């Protein structure tokens, strides 16, 4: 009999209509500065993620997926508007915002991606790793 995996992280939207558990260790936080994320979230946003099979929705009554590009979908709550998920259609990984996780997360920040697309109204002046485009080791 397979042993039940205990969740190592839990996340939720503002109203609780969307909540989830993750049963694998999750990587430290990467900040995405791409224009899509800055429109979607209001600014650069910190993401972590896991394999799709390690994430279980404990509530998805208000979850909606939006096809934001040919290769990716984004998940949000139709009730409170929290934007939580980014998922590349063809990969077995799902990204979610670090901000929606219950604390303590046990995470630190590790990198910035799409810094070439960063807004012209702020500086990225910390010592984290920086990548002009995507970073395949995000999850
Ligand atoms: Zn909600
Ligand atoms: Zn992005």
């Amino acid at each position: 009999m397979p042993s039940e995996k205990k969740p190592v992280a839990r996340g939720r939207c503002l109203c609780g209509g969307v909540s989830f558990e993750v049963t694998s260790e999750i990587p430290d936080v990467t900040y995405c500065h791409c224009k899509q994320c800055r429109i979607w979230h209001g600014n650069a946003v910190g993401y972590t993620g896991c394999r799709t099979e390690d994430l279980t929705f404990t509530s998805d009554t208000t979850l909606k997926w939006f096809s934001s590009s040919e290769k990716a979908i984004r998940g949000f709550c139709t009730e409170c508007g929290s934007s939580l998920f980014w998922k590349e259609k063809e990969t077995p990984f799902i990204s979610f915002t670090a901000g929606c996780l219950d604390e303590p997360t046990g995470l630190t920040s590790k990198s910035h991606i799409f810094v070439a697309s960063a807004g012209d109204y702020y500086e990225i002046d910390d010592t984290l790793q920086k990548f002009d485009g995507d970073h395949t080791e995000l999850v």
Side-chain angles (χ1 to χ4, degrees), residues 13-18 62 77-82:
C13 70
L14 266 185
C15 75
V18 181
T62 56
C77 173
T78 56
E79 177 66 23
C80 70
S82 299

Side-chain angles (χ1 to χ4, degrees), residues 85-133:
F85 302 103
W86 183 89
K87 173 149 190 18
E88 212 167 0
K89 292 171 185 169
E90 304 298 326
T91 72
F93 298 102
I94 184 167
S95 297
F96 42 85
T97 61
C100 77
L101 298 176
D102 290 353
E103 280 154 303
T105 64
L107 301 173
T108 61
S109 297
K110 70 172 180 183
S111 60
H112 298 275
I113 58 172
F114 287 103
V115 297
S117 307
D120 60 5
Y121 51 88
Y122 62 92
E123 299 291 329
I124 305 171
D125 55 4
D126 57 42
T127 56
L128 303 179
Q129 277 192 293
K130 295 174 185 66
F131 302 92
D132 276 347

